Amino acid sequence: MSLQRTGAMGSVEVLTGNIEFFTLFTTLDITVTGDYSNNTQKDFESVVQVIGLRAMPTVMNNPVALNGAGNNLLQNYGAPSMTGAGYIFKFATEVPFAHTVDTLKNELHGIVLNGGIVDTTNTVNMEFTKQDLL
């Protein structure tokens, strides 16, 4: 059996110009630990899976913990209504208009995580913003 192939072949990773950037703010612990039996890691993975139902994040950071002391407050980083300690998770998708702040709120509302139930409407513990510029 021959393992040779003819023709031009290559491997390229390209990000398009249709990238949309979002920020998730939450008081639920979504710390990335790398230990997939850890509850906070499971909660983070669950959040990413729900977001990925419409468009998988192509660029994302590990959530950043804010301890609620000094300037480390959710409101200082742009949270629409949440205050105090929590977590910030930034991500981007390549599918234009797949997500809006409202679709993210509606689809994550009521999701049961190990750290609690996501509430985006009443006693808000998760909210989103969309950035037009980097």
Side-chain angles (χ1 to χ4, degrees):
M1 171 191 306
S2 174
L3 296 177
Q4 293 181 332
R5 297 184 188 246
T6 59
M9 299 177 82
S11 173
V12 175
E13 183 174 338
V14 178
L15 292 176
T16 67
N18 297 324
I19 298 176
E20 295 184 331
F21 296 88
F22 295 90
T23 303
L24 176 154
F25 303 91
T26 186
T27 55
L28 298 170
D29 190 349
I30 55 170
T31 302
V32 171
T33 64
D35 176 3
Y36 296 99
S37 65
N38 180 282
N39 284 341
T40 64
Q41 178 74 41
K42 289 178 187 178
D43 287 351
F44 172 73
E45 297 296 332
S46 294
V47 168
V48 171
Q49 284 178 340
V50 172
I51 292 168
L53 291 174
R54 283 185 182 261
M56 196 64 185
T58 53
V59 178
M60 62 184 182
N61 71 323
N62 286 340
V64 175
L66 301 175
N67 63 11
N71 289 329
N72 289 322
L73 305 167
L74 287 169
Q75 65 268 26
N76 291 347
Y77 287 87
S81 66
M82 296 172 60
T83 61
Y87 298 83
I88 299 172
F89 169 58
K90 294 186 177 189
F91 63 95
T93 64
E94 287 186 284
V95 182
F97 312 112
H99 290 294
T100 66
V101 169
D102 288 336
T103 59
L104 288 166
K105 286 171 42 176
N106 291 337
E107 290 174 358
L108 279 152
H109 181 76
I111 298 295
V112 178
L113 302 175
N114 292 298
I117 297 173
V118 175
D119 187 344
T120 61
T121 59
N122 300 314
T123 56
V124 176
N125 61 14
M126 186 176 288
E127 58 190 2
F128 300 87
T129 59
K130 181 179 178 186
Q131 290 72 44
D132 293 326
L133 300 173
L134 285 177

